[in-house]
PDB file of all heavy atoms in Angstrom:
ATOM      1  N   PRO A 735     -46.865  31.850  20.961  1.00 95.00           N
ATOM      2  CA  PRO A 735     -48.131  31.592  20.267  1.00 95.00           C
ATOM      3  C   PRO A 735     -49.271  31.343  21.249  1.00 95.00           C
ATOM      4  O   PRO A 735     -49.061  30.825  22.359  1.00 95.00           O
ATOM      5  CB  PRO A 735     -47.826  30.326  19.453  1.00 95.00           C
ATOM      6  CG  PRO A 735     -46.340  30.276  19.333  1.00 95.00           C
ATOM      7  CD  PRO A 735     -45.817  30.870  20.590  1.00 95.00           C
ATOM      8  N   ALA A 736     -50.468  31.698  20.841  1.00 95.00           N
ATOM      9  CA  ALA A 736     -51.659  31.429  21.656  1.00 95.00           C
ATOM     10  C   ALA A 736     -51.811  29.933  21.869  1.00 95.00           C
ATOM     11  O   ALA A 736     -51.511  29.128  20.986  1.00 95.00           O
ATOM     12  CB  ALA A 736     -52.893  31.999  20.966  1.00 95.00           C
ATOM     13  N   GLY A 737     -52.277  29.556  23.044  1.00 95.00           N
ATOM     14  CA  GLY A 737     -52.499  28.155  23.353  1.00 95.00           C
ATOM     15  C   GLY A 737     -51.270  27.414  23.840  1.00 95.00           C
ATOM     16  O   GLY A 737     -51.325  26.196  24.080  1.00 95.00           O
ATOM     17  N   THR A 738     -50.173  28.123  24.003  1.00 97.00           N
ATOM     18  CA  THR A 738     -48.944  27.483  24.471  1.00 97.00           C
ATOM     19  C   THR A 738     -49.078  27.067  25.932  1.00 97.00           C
ATOM     20  O   THR A 738     -49.529  27.857  26.775  1.00 97.00           O
ATOM     21  CB  THR A 738     -47.744  28.442  24.313  1.00 97.00           C
ATOM     22  OG1 THR A 738     -47.550  28.716  22.928  1.00 97.00           O
ATOM     23  CG2 THR A 738     -46.475  27.845  24.899  1.00 97.00           C
ATOM     24  N   ARG A 739     -48.713  25.846  26.240  1.00 97.00           N
ATOM     25  CA  ARG A 739     -48.708  25.384  27.631  1.00 97.00           C
ATOM     26  C   ARG A 739     -47.536  26.030  28.362  1.00 97.00           C
ATOM     27  O   ARG A 739     -46.426  26.102  27.838  1.00 97.00           O
ATOM     28  CB  ARG A 739     -48.586  23.863  27.685  1.00 97.00           C
ATOM     29  CG  ARG A 739     -48.589  23.295  29.104  1.00 97.00           C
ATOM     30  CD  ARG A 739     -48.508  21.784  29.099  1.00 97.00           C
ATOM     31  NE  ARG A 739     -48.486  21.242  30.448  1.00 97.00           N
ATOM     32  CZ  ARG A 739     -48.405  19.940  30.727  1.00 97.00           C
ATOM     33  NH1 ARG A 739     -48.341  19.045  29.741  1.00 97.00           N
ATOM     34  NH2 ARG A 739     -48.382  19.516  31.985  1.00 97.00           N
ATOM     35  N   VAL A 740     -47.768  26.490  29.589  1.00 97.00           N
ATOM     36  CA  VAL A 740     -46.740  27.212  30.340  1.00 97.00           C
ATOM     37  C   VAL A 740     -46.346  26.428  31.587  1.00 97.00           C
ATOM     38  O   VAL A 740     -47.205  25.955  32.346  1.00 97.00           O
ATOM     39  CB  VAL A 740     -47.236  28.613  30.739  1.00 97.00           C
ATOM     40  CG1 VAL A 740     -46.189  29.328  31.600  1.00 97.00           C
ATOM     41  CG2 VAL A 740     -47.544  29.441  29.496  1.00 97.00           C
ATOM     42  N   ILE A 741     -45.035  26.277  31.777  1.00 98.00           N
ATOM     43  CA  ILE A 741     -44.464  25.730  33.004  1.00 98.00           C
ATOM     44  C   ILE A 741     -43.789  26.867  33.740  1.00 98.00           C
ATOM     45  O   ILE A 741     -42.907  27.535  33.192  1.00 98.00           O
ATOM     46  CB  ILE A 741     -43.437  24.617  32.700  1.00 98.00           C
ATOM     47  CG1 ILE A 741     -44.122  23.407  32.067  1.00 98.00           C
ATOM     48  CG2 ILE A 741     -42.680  24.219  33.955  1.00 98.00           C
ATOM     49  CD1 ILE A 741     -43.155  22.350  31.576  1.00 98.00           C
ATOM     50  N   ASP A 742     -44.199  27.109  34.970  1.00 98.00           N
ATOM     51  CA  ASP A 742     -43.596  28.175  35.770  1.00 98.00           C
ATOM     52  C   ASP A 742     -42.328  27.631  36.420  1.00 98.00           C
ATOM     53  O   ASP A 742     -42.377  26.757  37.284  1.00 98.00           O
ATOM     54  CB  ASP A 742     -44.587  28.640  36.840  1.00 98.00           C
ATOM     55  CG  ASP A 742     -44.031  29.790  37.682  1.00 98.00           C
ATOM     56  OD1 ASP A 742     -42.910  30.267  37.396  1.00 98.00           O
ATOM     57  OD2 ASP A 742     -44.720  30.192  38.636  1.00 98.00           O
ATOM     58  N   ALA A 743     -41.171  28.178  36.009  1.00 98.00           N
ATOM     59  CA  ALA A 743     -39.881  27.726  36.529  1.00 98.00           C
ATOM     60  C   ALA A 743     -39.237  28.768  37.433  1.00 98.00           C
ATOM     61  O   ALA A 743     -38.016  28.732  37.657  1.00 98.00           O
ATOM     62  CB  ALA A 743     -38.948  27.389  35.373  1.00 98.00           C
ATOM     63  N   GLY A 744     -40.009  29.666  37.978  1.00 97.00           N
ATOM     64  CA  GLY A 744     -39.465  30.683  38.870  1.00 97.00           C
ATOM     65  C   GLY A 744     -38.747  30.056  40.053  1.00 97.00           C
ATOM     66  O   GLY A 744     -39.293  29.175  40.727  1.00 97.00           O
ATOM     67  N   GLY A 745     -37.518  30.480  40.305  1.00 97.00           N
ATOM     68  CA  GLY A 745     -36.723  29.941  41.401  1.00 97.00           C
ATOM     69  C   GLY A 745     -36.080  28.598  41.120  1.00 97.00           C
ATOM     70  O   GLY A 745     -35.423  28.022  41.997  1.00 97.00           O
ATOM     71  N   LEU A 746     -36.242  28.089  39.897  1.00 98.00           N
ATOM     72  CA  LEU A 746     -35.734  26.770  39.544  1.00 98.00           C
ATOM     73  C   LEU A 746     -34.666  26.880  38.458  1.00 98.00           C
ATOM     74  O   LEU A 746     -34.546  27.888  37.769  1.00 98.00           O
ATOM     75  CB  LEU A 746     -36.881  25.880  39.051  1.00 98.00           C
ATOM     76  CG  LEU A 746     -38.084  25.745  39.997  1.00 98.00           C
ATOM     77  CD1 LEU A 746     -39.184  24.923  39.327  1.00 98.00           C
ATOM     78  CD2 LEU A 746     -37.665  25.125  41.323  1.00 98.00           C
ATOM     79  N   LEU A 747     -33.895  25.828  38.315  1.00 98.00           N
ATOM     80  CA  LEU A 747     -32.906  25.729  37.243  1.00 98.00           C
ATOM     81  C   LEU A 747     -33.530  25.033  36.048  1.00 98.00           C
ATOM     82  O   LEU A 747     -34.232  24.021  36.214  1.00 98.00           O
ATOM     83  CB  LEU A 747     -31.686  24.939  37.706  1.00 98.00           C
ATOM     84  CG  LEU A 747     -30.917  25.474  38.907  1.00 98.00           C
ATOM     85  CD1 LEU A 747     -29.778  24.512  39.270  1.00 98.00           C
ATOM     86  CD2 LEU A 747     -30.374  26.865  38.630  1.00 98.00           C
ATOM     87  N   VAL A 748     -33.270  25.537  34.863  1.00 98.00           N
ATOM     88  CA  VAL A 748     -33.721  24.912  33.621  1.00 98.00           C
ATOM     89  C   VAL A 748     -32.475  24.486  32.864  1.00 98.00           C
ATOM     90  O   VAL A 748     -31.603  25.304  32.555  1.00 98.00           O
ATOM     91  CB  VAL A 748     -34.563  25.879  32.775  1.00 98.00           C
ATOM     92  CG1 VAL A 748     -35.028  25.200  31.493  1.00 98.00           C
ATOM     93  CG2 VAL A 748     -35.754  26.385  33.581  1.00 98.00           C
ATOM     94  N   THR A 749     -32.359  23.199  32.577  1.00 98.00           N
ATOM     95  CA  THR A 749     -31.145  22.644  31.985  1.00 98.00           C
ATOM     96  C   THR A 749     -31.498  21.740  30.811  1.00 98.00           C
ATOM     97  O   THR A 749     -32.653  21.306  30.665  1.00 98.00           O
ATOM     98  CB  THR A 749     -30.360  21.805  33.017  1.00 98.00           C
ATOM     99  OG1 THR A 749     -31.007  20.530  33.194  1.00 98.00           O
ATOM    100  CG2 THR A 749     -30.263  22.505  34.352  1.00 98.00           C
ATOM    101  N   PRO A 750     -30.526  21.423  29.966  1.00 98.00           N
ATOM    102  CA  PRO A 750     -30.767  20.339  29.008  1.00 98.00           C
ATOM    103  C   PRO A 750     -31.054  19.052  29.774  1.00 98.00           C
ATOM    104  O   PRO A 750     -30.603  18.865  30.918  1.00 98.00           O
ATOM    105  CB  PRO A 750     -29.429  20.239  28.249  1.00 98.00           C
ATOM    106  CG  PRO A 750     -28.706  21.518  28.528  1.00 98.00           C
ATOM    107  CD  PRO A 750     -29.153  21.960  29.877  1.00 98.00           C
ATOM    108  N   GLY A 751     -31.811  18.149  29.167  1.00 98.00           N
ATOM    109  CA  GLY A 751     -32.011  16.840  29.770  1.00 98.00           C
ATOM    110  C   GLY A 751     -30.666  16.152  29.964  1.00 98.00           C
ATOM    111  O   GLY A 751     -29.763  16.260  29.136  1.00 98.00           O
ATOM    112  N   PHE A 752     -30.527  15.443  31.069  1.00 99.00           N
ATOM    113  CA  PHE A 752     -29.259  14.805  31.376  1.00 99.00           C
ATOM    114  C   PHE A 752     -29.040  13.585  30.481  1.00 99.00           C
ATOM    115  O   PHE A 752     -29.989  12.848  30.161  1.00 99.00           O
ATOM    116  CB  PHE A 752     -29.200  14.394  32.841  1.00 99.00           C
ATOM    117  CG  PHE A 752     -29.408  15.527  33.807  1.00 99.00           C
ATOM    118  CD1 PHE A 752     -29.961  15.306  35.054  1.00 99.00           C
ATOM    119  CD2 PHE A 752     -29.059  16.826  33.468  1.00 99.00           C
ATOM    120  CE1 PHE A 752     -30.163  16.339  35.951  1.00 99.00           C
ATOM    121  CE2 PHE A 752     -29.256  17.884  34.352  1.00 99.00           C
ATOM    122  CZ  PHE A 752     -29.810  17.637  35.596  1.00 99.00           C
ATOM    123  N   ILE A 753     -27.808  13.381  30.092  1.00 98.00           N
ATOM    124  CA  ILE A 753     -27.414  12.247  29.258  1.00 98.00           C
ATOM    125  C   ILE A 753     -26.569  11.317  30.110  1.00 98.00           C
ATOM    126  O   ILE A 753     -25.522  11.718  30.619  1.00 98.00           O
ATOM    127  CB  ILE A 753     -26.619  12.722  28.028  1.00 98.00           C
ATOM    128  CG1 ILE A 753     -27.506  13.586  27.130  1.00 98.00           C
ATOM    129  CG2 ILE A 753     -26.056  11.533  27.247  1.00 98.00           C
ATOM    130  CD1 ILE A 753     -26.737  14.331  26.056  1.00 98.00           C
ATOM    131  N   ASP A 754     -27.021  10.099  30.279  1.00 98.00           N
ATOM    132  CA  ASP A 754     -26.284   9.109  31.070  1.00 98.00           C
ATOM    133  C   ASP A 754     -25.472   8.249  30.111  1.00 98.00           C
ATOM    134  O   ASP A 754     -26.027   7.382  29.426  1.00 98.00           O
ATOM    135  CB  ASP A 754     -27.252   8.251  31.879  1.00 98.00           C
ATOM    136  CG  ASP A 754     -26.545   7.403  32.927  1.00 98.00           C
ATOM    137  OD1 ASP A 754     -25.324   7.187  32.786  1.00 98.00           O
ATOM    138  OD2 ASP A 754     -27.210   6.958  33.878  1.00 98.00           O
ATOM    139  N   PRO A 755     -24.142   8.450  30.040  1.00 98.00           N
ATOM    140  CA  PRO A 755     -23.346   7.761  29.036  1.00 98.00           C
ATOM    141  C   PRO A 755     -23.000   6.328  29.382  1.00 98.00           C
ATOM    142  O   PRO A 755     -22.475   5.604  28.539  1.00 98.00           O
ATOM    143  CB  PRO A 755     -22.068   8.612  28.969  1.00 98.00           C
ATOM    144  CG  PRO A 755     -21.911   9.121  30.372  1.00 98.00           C
ATOM    145  CD  PRO A 755     -23.327   9.380  30.849  1.00 98.00           C
ATOM    146  N   HIS A 756     -23.297   5.926  30.633  1.00 98.00           N
ATOM    147  CA  HIS A 756     -22.894   4.576  31.028  1.00 98.00           C
ATOM    148  C   HIS A 756     -24.017   3.916  31.817  1.00 98.00           C
ATOM    149  O   HIS A 756     -24.154   4.103  33.024  1.00 98.00           O
ATOM    150  CB  HIS A 756     -21.614   4.597  31.865  1.00 98.00           C
ATOM    151  CG  HIS A 756     -21.032   3.228  32.032  1.00 98.00           C
ATOM    152  ND1 HIS A 756     -20.000   2.759  31.257  1.00 98.00           N
ATOM    153  CD2 HIS A 756     -21.379   2.206  32.849  1.00 98.00           C
ATOM    154  CE1 HIS A 756     -19.716   1.516  31.605  1.00 98.00           C
ATOM    155  NE2 HIS A 756     -20.556   1.156  32.559  1.00 98.00           N
ATOM    156  N   THR A 757     -24.852   3.148  31.109  1.00 98.00           N
ATOM    157  CA  THR A 757     -25.965   2.449  31.755  1.00 98.00           C
ATOM    158  C   THR A 757     -26.005   0.995  31.291  1.00 98.00           C
ATOM    159  O   THR A 757     -25.401   0.614  30.290  1.00 98.00           O
ATOM    160  CB  THR A 757     -27.326   3.099  31.426  1.00 98.00           C
ATOM    161  OG1 THR A 757     -27.832   2.561  30.190  1.00 98.00           O
ATOM    162  CG2 THR A 757     -27.229   4.605  31.310  1.00 98.00           C
ATOM    163  N   HIS A 758     -26.748   0.215  32.069  1.00 96.00           N
ATOM    164  CA  HIS A 758     -27.038  -1.172  31.708  1.00 96.00           C
ATOM    165  C   HIS A 758     -28.552  -1.373  31.687  1.00 96.00           C
ATOM    166  O   HIS A 758     -29.074  -2.363  32.183  1.00 96.00           O
ATOM    167  CB  HIS A 758     -26.336  -2.125  32.678  1.00 96.00           C
ATOM    168  CG  HIS A 758     -24.838  -2.029  32.614  1.00 96.00           C
ATOM    169  ND1 HIS A 758     -24.104  -2.659  31.645  1.00 96.00           N
ATOM    170  CD2 HIS A 758     -23.962  -1.328  33.363  1.00 96.00           C
ATOM    171  CE1 HIS A 758     -22.820  -2.371  31.808  1.00 96.00           C
ATOM    172  NE2 HIS A 758     -22.704  -1.564  32.843  1.00 96.00           N
ATOM    173  N   SER A 759     -29.226  -0.427  31.046  1.00 98.00           N
ATOM    174  CA  SER A 759     -30.686  -0.459  30.929  1.00 98.00           C
ATOM    175  C   SER A 759     -31.144  -1.150  29.651  1.00 98.00           C
ATOM    176  O   SER A 759     -32.277  -0.949  29.214  1.00 98.00           O
ATOM    177  CB  SER A 759     -31.237   0.978  30.949  1.00 98.00           C
ATOM    178  OG  SER A 759     -30.979   1.617  32.167  1.00 98.00           O
ATOM    179  N   ASP A 760     -30.297  -2.001  29.066  1.00 97.00           N
ATOM    180  CA  ASP A 760     -30.573  -2.581  27.749  1.00 97.00           C
ATOM    181  C   ASP A 760     -31.939  -3.252  27.653  1.00 97.00           C
ATOM    182  O   ASP A 760     -32.602  -3.155  26.614  1.00 97.00           O
ATOM    183  CB  ASP A 760     -29.487  -3.606  27.402  1.00 97.00           C
ATOM    184  CG  ASP A 760     -28.094  -3.019  27.459  1.00 97.00           C
ATOM    185  OD1 ASP A 760     -27.640  -2.647  28.555  1.00 97.00           O
ATOM    186  OD2 ASP A 760     -27.435  -2.944  26.419  1.00 97.00           O
ATOM    187  N   VAL A 761     -32.357  -3.959  28.705  1.00 96.00           N
ATOM    188  CA  VAL A 761     -33.621  -4.691  28.625  1.00 96.00           C
ATOM    189  C   VAL A 761     -34.749  -3.987  29.372  1.00 96.00           C
ATOM    190  O   VAL A 761     -35.887  -4.483  29.377  1.00 96.00           O
ATOM    191  CB  VAL A 761     -33.467  -6.138  29.147  1.00 96.00           C
ATOM    192  CG1 VAL A 761     -32.407  -6.871  28.339  1.00 96.00           C
ATOM    193  CG2 VAL A 761     -33.142  -6.181  30.637  1.00 96.00           C
ATOM    194  N   VAL A 762     -34.492  -2.832  29.964  1.00 97.00           N
ATOM    195  CA  VAL A 762     -35.533  -2.113  30.713  1.00 97.00           C
ATOM    196  C   VAL A 762     -36.750  -1.793  29.843  1.00 97.00           C
ATOM    197  O   VAL A 762     -37.890  -1.898  30.324  1.00 97.00           O
ATOM    198  CB  VAL A 762     -34.940  -0.847  31.362  1.00 97.00           C
ATOM    199  CG1 VAL A 762     -36.041   0.052  31.912  1.00 97.00           C
ATOM    200  CG2 VAL A 762     -33.968  -1.228  32.470  1.00 97.00           C
ATOM    201  N   PRO A 763     -36.581  -1.429  28.557  1.00 97.00           N
ATOM    202  CA  PRO A 763     -37.779  -1.136  27.757  1.00 97.00           C
ATOM    203  C   PRO A 763     -38.737  -2.304  27.603  1.00 97.00           C
ATOM    204  O   PRO A 763     -39.912  -2.097  27.257  1.00 97.00           O
ATOM    205  CB  PRO A 763     -37.202  -0.725  26.390  1.00 97.00           C
ATOM    206  CG  PRO A 763     -35.842  -0.217  26.699  1.00 97.00           C
ATOM    207  CD  PRO A 763     -35.345  -1.096  27.814  1.00 97.00           C
ATOM    208  N   PHE A 764     -38.265  -3.530  27.846  1.00 96.00           N
ATOM    209  CA  PHE A 764     -39.125  -4.695  27.673  1.00 96.00           C
ATOM    210  C   PHE A 764     -39.874  -5.067  28.945  1.00 96.00           C
ATOM    211  O   PHE A 764     -40.692  -5.987  28.932  1.00 96.00           O
ATOM    212  CB  PHE A 764     -38.291  -5.892  27.195  1.00 96.00           C
ATOM    213  CG  PHE A 764     -37.488  -5.594  25.960  1.00 96.00           C
ATOM    214  CD1 PHE A 764     -36.106  -5.543  26.004  1.00 96.00           C
ATOM    215  CD2 PHE A 764     -38.116  -5.327  24.759  1.00 96.00           C
ATOM    216  CE1 PHE A 764     -35.368  -5.244  24.873  1.00 96.00           C
ATOM    217  CE2 PHE A 764     -37.392  -5.026  23.622  1.00 96.00           C
ATOM    218  CZ  PHE A 764     -36.005  -4.982  23.678  1.00 96.00           C
ATOM    219  N   MET A 765     -39.606  -4.365  30.046  1.00 96.00           N
ATOM    220  CA  MET A 765     -40.323  -4.650  31.287  1.00 96.00           C
ATOM    221  C   MET A 765     -41.792  -4.277  31.128  1.00 96.00           C
ATOM    222  O   MET A 765     -42.144  -3.372  30.375  1.00 96.00           O
ATOM    223  CB  MET A 765     -39.675  -3.915  32.449  1.00 96.00           C
ATOM    224  CG  MET A 765     -38.246  -4.402  32.718  1.00 96.00           C
ATOM    225  SD  MET A 765     -37.348  -3.473  33.989  1.00 96.00           S
ATOM    226  CE  MET A 765     -38.156  -4.066  35.476  1.00 96.00           C
ATOM    227  N   ALA A 766     -42.635  -5.003  31.840  1.00 94.00           N
ATOM    228  CA  ALA A 766     -44.082  -4.875  31.629  1.00 94.00           C
ATOM    229  C   ALA A 766     -44.585  -3.464  31.887  1.00 94.00           C
ATOM    230  O   ALA A 766     -45.432  -2.952  31.150  1.00 94.00           O
ATOM    231  CB  ALA A 766     -44.812  -5.871  32.536  1.00 94.00           C
ATOM    232  N   GLU A 767     -44.074  -2.818  32.915  1.00 96.00           N
ATOM    233  CA  GLU A 767     -44.493  -1.459  33.248  1.00 96.00           C
ATOM    234  C   GLU A 767     -43.389  -0.471  32.863  1.00 96.00           C
ATOM    235  O   GLU A 767     -42.200  -0.799  32.945  1.00 96.00           O
ATOM    236  CB  GLU A 767     -44.783  -1.337  34.749  1.00 96.00           C
ATOM    237  CG  GLU A 767     -45.912  -2.231  35.230  1.00 96.00           C
ATOM    238  CD  GLU A 767     -47.240  -1.899  34.578  1.00 96.00           C
ATOM    239  OE1 GLU A 767     -47.479  -0.692  34.327  1.00 96.00           O
ATOM    240  OE2 GLU A 767     -48.025  -2.821  34.329  1.00 96.00           O
ATOM    241  N   PRO A 768     -43.767   0.735  32.443  1.00 97.00           N
ATOM    242  CA  PRO A 768     -42.740   1.743  32.163  1.00 97.00           C
ATOM    243  C   PRO A 768     -41.945   2.050  33.422  1.00 97.00           C
ATOM    244  O   PRO A 768     -42.512   2.112  34.520  1.00 97.00           O
ATOM    245  CB  PRO A 768     -43.543   2.950  31.677  1.00 97.00           C
ATOM    246  CG  PRO A 768     -44.923   2.731  32.180  1.00 97.00           C
ATOM    247  CD  PRO A 768     -45.130   1.251  32.249  1.00 97.00           C
ATOM    248  N   GLN A 769     -40.648   2.234  33.268  1.00 97.00           N
ATOM    249  CA  GLN A 769     -39.759   2.426  34.407  1.00 97.00           C
ATOM    250  C   GLN A 769     -39.255   3.875  34.428  1.00 97.00           C
ATOM    251  O   GLN A 769     -38.416   4.257  33.630  1.00 97.00           O
ATOM    252  CB  GLN A 769     -38.579   1.457  34.313  1.00 97.00           C
ATOM    253  CG  GLN A 769     -38.981  -0.001  34.275  1.00 97.00           C
ATOM    254  CD  GLN A 769     -39.645  -0.449  35.562  1.00 97.00           C
ATOM    255  OE1 GLN A 769     -39.177  -0.121  36.649  1.00 97.00           O
ATOM    256  NE2 GLN A 769     -40.739  -1.185  35.442  1.00 97.00           N
ATOM    257  N   PRO A 770     -39.733   4.697  35.371  1.00 98.00           N
ATOM    258  CA  PRO A 770     -39.385   6.121  35.371  1.00 98.00           C
ATOM    259  C   PRO A 770     -38.154   6.467  36.205  1.00 98.00           C
ATOM    260  O   PRO A 770     -37.898   7.633  36.481  1.00 98.00           O
ATOM    261  CB  PRO A 770     -40.636   6.764  35.968  1.00 98.00           C
ATOM    262  CG  PRO A 770     -41.112   5.750  36.971  1.00 98.00           C
ATOM    263  CD  PRO A 770     -40.823   4.400  36.332  1.00 98.00           C
ATOM    264  N   PHE A 771     -37.367   5.463  36.622  1.00 98.00           N
ATOM    265  CA  PHE A 771     -36.298   5.709  37.588  1.00 98.00           C
ATOM    266  C   PHE A 771     -35.253   6.702  37.089  1.00 98.00           C
ATOM    267  O   PHE A 771     -34.620   7.389  37.881  1.00 98.00           O
ATOM    268  CB  PHE A 771     -35.636   4.394  38.020  1.00 98.00           C
ATOM    269  CG  PHE A 771     -34.857   3.673  36.956  1.00 98.00           C
ATOM    270  CD1 PHE A 771     -33.505   3.409  37.120  1.00 98.00           C
ATOM    271  CD2 PHE A 771     -35.471   3.205  35.792  1.00 98.00           C
ATOM    272  CE1 PHE A 771     -32.779   2.723  36.152  1.00 98.00           C
ATOM    273  CE2 PHE A 771     -34.761   2.516  34.833  1.00 98.00           C
ATOM    274  CZ  PHE A 771     -33.402   2.280  35.005  1.00 98.00           C
ATOM    275  N   LYS A 772     -35.075   6.817  35.781  1.00 98.00           N
ATOM    276  CA  LYS A 772     -34.142   7.812  35.255  1.00 98.00           C
ATOM    277  C   LYS A 772     -34.836   9.156  35.003  1.00 98.00           C
ATOM    278  O   LYS A 772     -34.259  10.214  35.252  1.00 98.00           O
ATOM    279  CB  LYS A 772     -33.500   7.295  33.966  1.00 98.00           C
ATOM    280  CG  LYS A 772     -32.476   6.200  34.184  1.00 98.00           C
ATOM    281  CD  LYS A 772     -31.300   6.702  34.991  1.00 98.00           C
ATOM    282  CE  LYS A 772     -30.212   5.696  35.127  1.00 98.00           C
ATOM    283  NZ  LYS A 772     -29.603   5.326  33.840  1.00 98.00           N
ATOM    284  N   LEU A 773     -36.053   9.123  34.525  1.00 98.00           N
ATOM    285  CA  LEU A 773     -36.777  10.377  34.289  1.00 98.00           C
ATOM    286  C   LEU A 773     -36.918  11.182  35.569  1.00 98.00           C
ATOM    287  O   LEU A 773     -36.843  12.414  35.552  1.00 98.00           O
ATOM    288  CB  LEU A 773     -38.165  10.086  33.722  1.00 98.00           C
ATOM    289  CG  LEU A 773     -38.231   9.377  32.371  1.00 98.00           C
ATOM    290  CD1 LEU A 773     -39.683   9.098  32.007  1.00 98.00           C
ATOM    291  CD2 LEU A 773     -37.546  10.186  31.285  1.00 98.00           C
ATOM    292  N   LEU A 774     -37.091  10.501  36.695  1.00 98.00           N
ATOM    293  CA  LEU A 774     -37.256  11.186  37.976  1.00 98.00           C
ATOM    294  C   LEU A 774     -35.953  11.824  38.445  1.00 98.00           C
ATOM    295  O   LEU A 774     -35.942  12.571  39.433  1.00 98.00           O
ATOM    296  CB  LEU A 774     -37.780  10.207  39.029  1.00 98.00           C
ATOM    297  CG  LEU A 774     -39.217   9.722  38.795  1.00 98.00           C
ATOM    298  CD1 LEU A 774     -39.544   8.559  39.723  1.00 98.00           C
ATOM    299  CD2 LEU A 774     -40.220  10.860  38.992  1.00 98.00           C
TER     300      LEU A 774
END
């Protein structure tokens, strides 16, 4: 469709987002600043 944002992935791998089945991030959402350590 027109207006679609494009990400150029040439030379890169495109995968499903990773699922971490074993974490102890239970209280991380309550930290004052967003924590990107898993997104990165």
Side-chain angles (χ1 to χ4, degrees):
T738 296
R739 181 178 179 181
V740 176
I741 294 172
D742 182 3
L746 306 176
L747 301 177
V748 180
T749 76
F752 303 151
I753 296 168
D754 192 340
H756 192 98
T757 86
H758 296 279
S759 296
D760 304 66
V761 301
V762 169
F764 306 113
M765 296 175 74
E767 298 298 325
Q769 301 295 316
F771 67 121
K772 287 297 185 63
L773 298 177
L774 292 169

